[in-house]
Amino acid sequence: MSAGERFNMSRVVLVNLASLPMAGNEPIFPIGVRCVQDALDRAGHETLLVDFVQTPDQLTSFEWLDRDWDVIGFTIRNIDPIEIACDTHVDNYVSFVQRVREELSRRAQDPVLIGGGPGFSLFAGTLVERLGLDAGVIGPGEQVMLDIARHPGSFRGRSLVLQGRRHAEFLTDVLHHPPLLMGAYSDSHKAMIGVETRRKTCYQGCAYCPYAYIDGDNSGDLKPMDVLADEIRGIHRAGYRRVFFTDGIFNSELRYAKEVVRLVHELRLEGLTWSAYFTPKPFDDEFAGLLTDSGVENVVVSPDSLDDEVMANLGKSFRTRHVSRFLDRSRRHSLPVRVNVVFGGPGETRETARNSARFINDNLEDDELVMHVGYRILPGTGLSRQVRMAESSLLYPTYYPFDLGVFHWVIQDLDSRFVTPQLMMNLLAGRTAARRMLEVEGTADTAPPPGTTFIALTSASEASRGGCG
């Protein structure tokens, strides 16, 4: 390394805000920020990852700020939990970053402050302002963070929003994680860790999904099988027995998905199981056969509605007939299935809800349904374009308009075998939360059912609860 290269090395601390103790938050292994840290380490920068699952005392001690850092990166995975009965995490993030700023001021330090992560990417412009950051990154963060670490001073005070770029080393660098961090997240047999197999913009175009917005225009990198095999072996050696492939849709490119499943078979790692999100098409008999005895925990599909009209409104590329074929193939190959359904989508009526319930009753086993109510509107999605609301107006949980009668319809129409005590509790909590929501103004290109409104848990000016109802 030349003298000039050494001069451009920085000290960077990365803070995993997704590990903060917050109501409704369930921290998972921080795969995204680890990718950024790995890239910085390989470039010769000095890094520290602060994770409050690994070191909970750092939440209050702030000893990690005693070093003279050049850059502090904050990563945000989720803005709020998925459940309609839960409020926002934003206030927790704002409060913590403010505490960090106060500690830095007390120490007379002035590092560059950067934001990133999938949740952050959705609201990058708003959060750069709210958190008082020098810059924020949308999408993959490795290349931009390398730019910032080389010349941190040039980003100070600019309030920039930067678009992430392709990181070519994704195809060549094997990602191995620090043993202490892995140990902190592997405290039970249920511990799961994410593995990226590809980086490619999702083609599905679902109206509620932000993946394409976060990923940007990415023609795609498919991780080579030898690199993927080394990562999975390292995870297994560390004691993990559950892997989640983090692709938006695992079988969106069926040929590559088959290669990954063949690799899992070939590795023959004792006790290893895995899961991912699937789509009902493409899904052929060969693929179903490969999945058999591969260790797949559940083949999870998300039609979200089982009424063809609502599925079309949601931008789904398949219909109920494809779900039926998928279920038939899965049954023939004895595959474990989970089907995600979210009532209250665009165009949901008493009849469409009844159609979904009828399909569920006729086609799903007792343990195959995963159900929610209400669609959170996120920036950059089809739903946000319909309601034409600004990014800043969506920061706190805002749901697409739906008839509050849907909570009653679900209980009335589903077979009693699906209406478990847990489901009843979730529905009651959701109905209570929905009834106390504030009405906010918006205009939709498609008129909602009569008597509905755009609803939010709080307004941005008074959001302070930050809990689960």
Side-chain angles (χ1 to χ4, degrees):
M1 184 181 295
S2 69
E5 289 174 321
R6 286 195 298 272
F7 182 76
N8 287 328
M9 294 301 104
S10 291
R11 297 188 180 97
V12 182
V13 58
L14 302 169
V15 185
N16 179 21
L17 294 184
S19 65
L20 285 171
M22 301 177 287
N25 184 42
E26 297 181 4
I28 64 172
F29 190 89
I31 180 71
V33 70
R34 273 291 302 128
C35 290
V36 172
Q37 184 183 26
D38 185 72
L40 291 168
D41 287 342
R42 291 175 185 271
H45 301 285
E46 182 181 337
T47 70
L48 172 68
L49 173 57
V50 175
D51 184 283
F52 304 116
V53 172
Q54 179 186 355
T55 51
D57 59 298
Q58 292 183 333
L59 182 64
T60 53
S61 72
F62 289 100
E63 292 179 356
W64 48 278
L65 288 176
D66 290 342
R67 298 288 306 278
D68 189 14
W69 299 106
D70 300 300
V71 180
I72 298 180
F74 299 98
T75 180
I76 293 177
R77 179 175 178 268
N78 291 324
I79 290 295
D80 41 66
I82 190 173
E83 293 291 346
I84 197 172
C86 296
D87 291 347
T88 182
H89 292 331
V90 170
D91 299 323
N92 299 85
Y93 302 144
V94 171
S95 175
F96 183 80
V97 173
Q98 179 59 34
R99 288 168 60 196
V100 170
R101 297 171 69 87
E102 291 169 358
E103 292 290 331
L104 290 171
S105 178
R106 190 167 65 83
R107 291 168 168 80
Q109 295 184 24
D110 187 26
V112 172
L113 304 182
I114 309 296
F120 180 93
S121 295
L122 293 171
F123 297 92
T126 300
L127 288 174
V128 163
E129 179 181 352
R130 288 292 301 274
L131 300 175
L133 305 179
D134 297 291
V137 183
I138 296 176
E142 294 99 332
Q143 289 299 129
V144 175
M145 284 299 288
L146 287 170
D147 293 343
I148 293 171
R150 278 191 287 269
H151 304 285
S154 63
F155 293 88
R156 181 172 284 109
R158 299 181 63 186
S159 301
L160 296 173
V161 175
L162 306 168
Q163 181 64 53
R165 306 193 305 277
R166 177 177 180 262
H167 183 58
E169 287 76 8
F170 172 76
L171 298 174
T172 57
D173 294 344
V174 177
L175 187 62
H176 291 309
H177 303 296
L180 290 177
L181 182 64
M182 295 189 80
Y185 282 87
S186 63
D187 59 354
S188 76
H189 69 282
K190 295 182 179 180
M192 178 180 285
I193 191 168
V195 174
E196 284 187 286
T197 68
R198 77 192 82 188
R199 289 187 177 179
K200 189 167 187 176
T201 304
C202 182
Y203 70 91
Q204 291 279 2
C206 299
Y208 57 86
C209 182
Y211 282 163
Y213 177 73
I214 295 173
D215 294 340
D217 185 13
N218 183 355
S219 60
D221 286 325
L222 306 178
K223 185 169 288 186
M225 290 299 113
D226 59 334
V227 176
L228 187 59
D230 283 348
E231 289 188 12
I232 296 174
R233 288 192 192 100
I235 288 168
H236 189 266
R237 282 195 300 270
Y240 282 80
R241 294 297 179 265
R242 303 178 70 218
V243 164
F244 182 81
F245 293 121
T246 61
D247 313 352
I249 299 294
F250 180 71
N251 58 318
S252 59
E253 294 184 66
L254 195 55
R255 180 180 299 178
Y256 182 74
K258 290 177 180 179
E259 290 182 24
V260 175
V261 179
R262 289 190 185 100
L263 173 65
V264 174
H265 278 286
E266 293 167 2
L267 289 175
R268 299 182 180 279
L269 297 174
E270 184 178 357
L272 184 72
T273 64
W274 64 280
S275 56
Y277 293 127
F278 296 76
T279 178
K281 71 161 193 161
F283 196 100
D284 60 22
D285 281 313
E286 181 187 26
F287 186 50
L290 285 170
L291 292 173
T292 304
D293 299 324
S294 69
V296 64
E297 292 184 8
N298 289 297
V299 182
V300 182
V301 296
S302 297
D304 299 308
S305 173
L306 290 162
D307 174 88
D308 283 339
E309 180 183 346
V310 177
M311 293 173 77
N313 292 341
L314 288 169
K316 292 294 176 180
S317 62
F318 54 88
R319 298 293 180 263
T320 52
R321 68 181 184 275
H322 301 109
V323 179
S324 295
R325 291 171 190 164
F326 158 77
L327 290 170
D328 289 343
R329 282 197 173 95
S330 298
R331 304 274 187 256
R332 288 200 303 272
H333 292 274
S334 301
L335 295 175
V337 168
R338 293 292 183 274
V339 178
N340 289 326
V341 176
V342 184
F343 287 90
E348 188 82 276
T349 64
R350 182 70 187 88
E351 184 59 29
T352 63
R354 185 180 288 116
N355 289 341
S356 287
R358 185 181 300 117
F359 187 101
I360 292 167
N361 294 338
D362 293 345
N363 294 280
L364 298 188
E365 300 297 332
D366 299 6
D367 62 347
E368 292 179 342
L369 174 65
V370 180
M371 201 209 79
H372 300 279
V373 173
Y375 285 83
R376 169 71 155 99
I377 304 175
L378 295 168
T381 63
L383 293 185
S384 72
R385 289 189 290 274
Q386 283 188 37
V387 302
R388 297 196 290 274
M389 293 175 67
E391 173 191 301
S392 58
S393 299
L394 298 173
L395 182 62
Y396 290 91
T398 305
Y399 284 79
Y400 195 84
F402 64 90
D403 192 319
L404 298 186
V406 72
F407 294 101
H408 175 68
W409 304 341
V410 168
I411 296 171
Q412 186 176 56
D413 293 343
L414 286 179
D415 284 350
S416 59
R417 60 196 172 95
F418 294 109
V419 186
T420 63
Q422 184 61 56
L423 177 60
M424 282 293 296
M425 290 176 61
N426 291 344
L427 289 172
L428 291 172
R431 185 177 64 180
T432 299
R435 284 177 171 173
R436 61 177 167 84
M437 288 177 176
L438 302 176
E439 296 182 8
V440 296
E441 293 185 1
T443 57
D445 294 333
T446 303
T452 61
T453 183
F454 298 95
I455 50 181
L457 285 171
T458 60
S459 68
S461 63
E462 62 180 14
S464 61
R465 293 190 305 277
C468 258

